[in-house]
């Protein structure tokens, strides 16, 4: 199937051609025809599959078939996304794919002044992309009404629930009109996402693409068993490889992200860090510098990097393995985009051994072990308590391994409403 025989209108075809897309991705092939017919959709797909265009294109087409003058504060399309970066990116996709159509759109999110966002809303927008926190704030202040919403998209609902947005999302949903088209995207399926889907969707078509393991096929994955206190020298040494062009490094905490960035910086590597404690302006600047190639390395925590679409990332390095095995897939999905080859290196200390086991179970792969001068047999063979997540008692390492970010419960799950992340 091609974009041409999908009944997509000419202005969108031109934008698609300008972007250089020749064939629809599987999620686009499966979702667009249903969405053009006005059906509700449950999409199980992760970032990197082309899911944004899968909903942006049909929504733009349906809007263009029935253009109206936008009413101030009353969007016709509402897209909810978990992070500011993802919201900004989706908003940009509306601009890109809709460049030959006339409509107004904006993104609203926390961490920046609300004044410019309110001004934009009061002029009237057709499409509003929002994070839940800022949307509720502005709804409560009377700047936004949802009664005119015809298309509602919940993107990365699994992440939104993980981040503690469940109550906010429920409140938003309860303000939506009954008659609407709803789209729901999640990378993973759980009881909670299932319940949400039931509540939201009517006679929905379910589309599932790229089962988790297969998306990873074009990514070269390696694990480095290493003691915590050798992680930094190991990382430094990897930069002697020639092909480390654009490298995204993940750490578990903001503090460690800063430390790793500082140490690489001392070694004359162009690096910056993004995490929840950085201002929106700092985050945007770091992202732009990374995209443009001014930065060779970006060090990030999971939340900050979620949904980021930077092309040509050569390597993803898990300096620390993530708490949740699903995050491993999200992280390494940043490389190997759209069929390109990428490399994912994971550092695994003894106290991360069990996390690695969960990752291997989830992805149904055994990750190849890399040989290197800091190899730790102890890490490789750790079992029982030695292989479990760190506690305050056994913290160690050149970069002290913070046992858990402050917002974590003992179980390792995040607490509700992490305001700073909105
Ligand atoms: P997403 O999953 O929406 O984050 O998209 C991942 C990347 O795929 C983005 O960089 C898109 O620009 C790109 N993309 C989306 N659709 C296509 C397509 N049909 N052909 C090639 N690239 C695409």
């Amino acid at each position: 199937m091609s974009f041409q025989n999908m009944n997509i209108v000419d202005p969108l075809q031109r934008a698609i051609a300008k972007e250089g897309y020749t064939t629809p991705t599987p999620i686009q092939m499966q979702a667009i025809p249903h969405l053009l017919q006005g059906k509700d959709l449950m999409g199980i797909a992760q970032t990197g599959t082309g899911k944004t265009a899968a909903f942006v294109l049909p929504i733009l087409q349906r809007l263009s078939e029935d253009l109206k003058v936008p009413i101030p504060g009353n969007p016709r399309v509402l897209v909810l996304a978990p992070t500011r970066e993802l919201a900004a990116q989706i908003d940009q996709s509306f601009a890109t794919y809709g460049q030959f159509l006339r409509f107004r759109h904006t993104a609203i999110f926390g961490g920046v002044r609300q004044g410019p966002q309110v001004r934009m809303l009061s002029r009237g927008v057709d499409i509003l992309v929002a994070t839940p926190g800022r949307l509720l704030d502005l709804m409560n202040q009377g700047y936004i009404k949802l009664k005119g919403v015809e298309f509602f998209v919940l993107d990365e609902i699994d992440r939104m629930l993980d981040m503690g947005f469940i109550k906010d999302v429920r409140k938003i949903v309860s303000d939506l009109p009954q008659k609407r088209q709803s789209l729901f995207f999640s990378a993973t399926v759980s009881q909670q996402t299932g319940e949400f889907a039931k509540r939201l969707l009517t006679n929905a078509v379910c589309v599932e693409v790229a089962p988790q393991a297969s998306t990873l096929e074009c990514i070269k994955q390696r694990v480095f068993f290493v003691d915590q206190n050798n992680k930094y020298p190991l990382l430094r040494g990897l930069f002697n490889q020639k092909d480390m062009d654009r490298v995204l490094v993940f750490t578990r905490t903001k503090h460690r992200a800063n430390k790793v960035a500082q140490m690489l910086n001392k070694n004359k590597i162009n690096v910056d860090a993004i995490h929840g404690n950085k201002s929106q302006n700092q985050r945007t600047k770091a992202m732009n510098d990374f995209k443009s190639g001014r930065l060779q390395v970006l060090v990030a925590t999971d939340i900050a990097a979620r949904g980021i679409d930077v092309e040509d990332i050569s390597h993803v390095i898990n300096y620390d393995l993530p708490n949740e095995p699903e995050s491993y897939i999200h992280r390494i999905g940043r490389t190997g985009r759209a069929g390109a080859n990428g490399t994912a290196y994971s550092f695994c200390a003894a106290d991360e051994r069990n996390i690695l086991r969960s990752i291997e179970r989830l992805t149904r792969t055994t990750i190849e072990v890399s040989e290197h001068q800091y190899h730790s047999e102890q890490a490789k063979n750790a079992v029982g308590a030695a292989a479990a997540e760190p506690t305050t008692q056994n913290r160690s390492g050149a970069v002290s391994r913070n046992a858990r970010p402050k917002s974590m419960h003992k179980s390792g799950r995040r607490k509700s409403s992490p305001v700073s992340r909105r």
Side-chain angles (χ1 to χ4, degrees):
M1 195 189 280
S2 67
F3 283 113
Q4 278 78 22
N5 52 30
M6 271 183 161
N7 291 328
I8 290 176
V9 292
D10 183 63
L12 294 175
Q13 295 279 9
R14 278 159 59 206
I16 291 167
K18 203 170 160 199
E19 281 304 289
Y21 303 166
T22 48
T23 2
T25 64
I27 184 137
Q28 292 163 3
M29 278 187 214
Q30 293 178 56
I32 292 175
H34 293 298
L35 293 176
L36 288 175
Q37 287 171 11
K39 296 227 170 91
D40 280 7
L41 181 100
M42 159 126 185
I44 312 296
Q46 39 203 125
T47 313
T49 53
K51 72 177 160 75
T52 315
F55 66 83
V56 169
L57 290 168
I59 287 178
L60 283 173
Q61 174 143 339
R62 299 212 58 218
L63 273 191
S64 75
E65 286 163 354
D66 177 27
L67 276 181
K68 294 175 185 161
V69 179
I71 305 168
N74 276 268
R76 295 176 65 193
V77 179
L78 174 65
V79 182
L80 273 191
T83 63
R84 320 156 191 200
E85 281 81 5
L86 186 60
Q89 206 168 289
I90 296 170
D91 185 50
Q92 183 52 45
S93 295
F94 277 107
T96 305
Y97 302 130
Q99 58 189 290
F100 301 114
L101 289 170
R102 283 178 68 85
F103 64 94
R104 296 163 73 107
H105 61 100
T106 197
I108 60 168
F109 38 76
V112 291
R113 286 184 305 125
Q114 71 168 42
Q117 299 179 351
V118 169
R119 275 194 291 284
M120 194 67 199
L121 289 164
S122 64
R123 274 184 239 141
V125 292
D126 300 283
I127 298 165
L128 179 63
V129 187
T131 52
R134 178 58 62 97
L135 175 64
L136 270 181
D137 280 353
L138 295 186
M139 281 167 64
N140 291 338
Q141 294 173 57
Y143 292 117
I144 302 172
K145 300 262 178 312
L146 301 185
K147 62 180 189 314
V149 171
E150 296 164 48
F151 305 92
F152 176 59
V153 183
L154 257 180
D155 199 11
E156 303 203 350
I157 178 69
D158 47 347
R159 207 65 192 169
M160 257 187 261
L161 299 180
D162 278 357
M163 288 169 73
F165 283 138
I166 187 156
K167 274 199 193 138
D168 291 356
V169 178
R170 275 203 189 120
K171 263 193 224 137
I172 292 163
V173 169
S174 67
D175 261 37
L176 291 170
Q178 283 299 318
K179 191 172 171 312
R180 58 166 200 259
Q181 186 176 357
S182 301
L183 288 64
F184 181 102
F185 290 90
S186 184
T188 50
V189 189
S190 67
Q191 197 187 345
Q192 231 184 358
T193 58
E195 277 163 19
F196 239 90
K198 244 194 232 153
R199 179 196 292 246
L200 262 185
L201 307 171
T202 318
N203 294 331
V205 177
C206 183
V207 168
E208 182 168 2
V209 293
Q212 294 178 337
S214 71
T215 5
L216 311 181
E217 266 163 21
C218 53
I219 301 172
K220 180 174 127 187
Q221 299 176 65
R222 295 289 181 272
V223 60
F224 294 69
F225 289 109
V226 58
D227 295 333
Q228 286 292 354
N229 56 356
N230 279 331
K231 279 189 174 180
Y232 182 69
L234 171 62
L235 179 69
R236 176 70 200 90
L238 288 176
F239 281 94
N240 295 330
Q241 286 181 195
K242 277 205 190 75
D243 57 346
M244 305 281 282
D245 301 324
R246 191 168 292 176
V247 183
L248 184 55
V249 178
F250 283 96
T251 62
R252 268 229 251 183
T253 65
K254 300 165 193 172
H255 174 70
R256 281 166 75 82
N258 284 338
K259 280 279 189 196
V260 170
Q262 275 163 17
M263 290 192 288
L264 290 175
N265 195 27
K266 271 192 203 142
N267 281 281
K268 311 258 175 306
I269 289 172
N270 284 329
V271 56
D272 205 343
I274 56 167
H275 50 66
N277 281 1
K278 297 257 177 172
S279 72
Q280 185 55 35
N281 284 347
Q282 287 171 320
R283 285 159 73 161
T284 308
K285 180 175 184 310
M287 279 310 308
N288 289 342
D289 286 351
F290 190 51
K291 274 186 187 166
S292 71
R294 269 195 293 276
L295 289 180
Q296 182 188 0
V297 185
L298 191 64
V299 188
T301 53
D302 285 300
I303 299 295
R306 175 82 180 163
I308 294 305
D309 182 27
V310 177
E311 284 174 12
D312 301 327
I313 291 182
S314 59
H315 293 74
V316 166
I317 299 183
N318 293 310
Y319 190 86
D320 301 314
L321 287 177
N323 275 318
E324 319 253 345
E326 288 83 7
S327 298
Y328 175 83
I329 297 168
H330 292 306
R331 286 179 176 190
I332 77 166
R334 326 273 105 221
T335 185
R337 281 275 163 97
N341 289 322
T343 302
Y345 292 148
S346 295
F347 294 0
C348 178
D351 55 22
E352 293 165 299
R353 190 65 183 89
N354 279 350
I355 304 175
L356 180 67
R357 291 187 177 108
S358 312
I359 291 169
E360 291 187 326
R361 263 197 304 277
L362 179 72
T363 57
R364 295 188 211 99
T365 46
T366 306
I367 303 173
E368 199 174 312
V369 179
S370 198
E371 283 178 24
H372 59 97
Q373 69 179 113
Y374 300 103
H375 176 80
S376 163
E377 272 300 292
Q378 197 190 356
K380 185 175 174 208
N381 298 323
V383 286
E389 279 185 61
T391 62
T392 25
Q393 281 80 42
N394 67 3
R395 260 187 259 170
S396 64
V399 179
S400 74
R401 184 181 171 82
N402 283 5
R404 254 181 261 270
K406 279 196 195 88
S407 59
M408 294 276 176
H409 281 312
K410 275 195 192 126
S411 65
R413 296 223 163 252
R414 285 185 186 85
K415 272 198 255 179
S416 302
S417 304
V419 176
S420 63
R421 293 205 190 92
R422 282 178 193 171

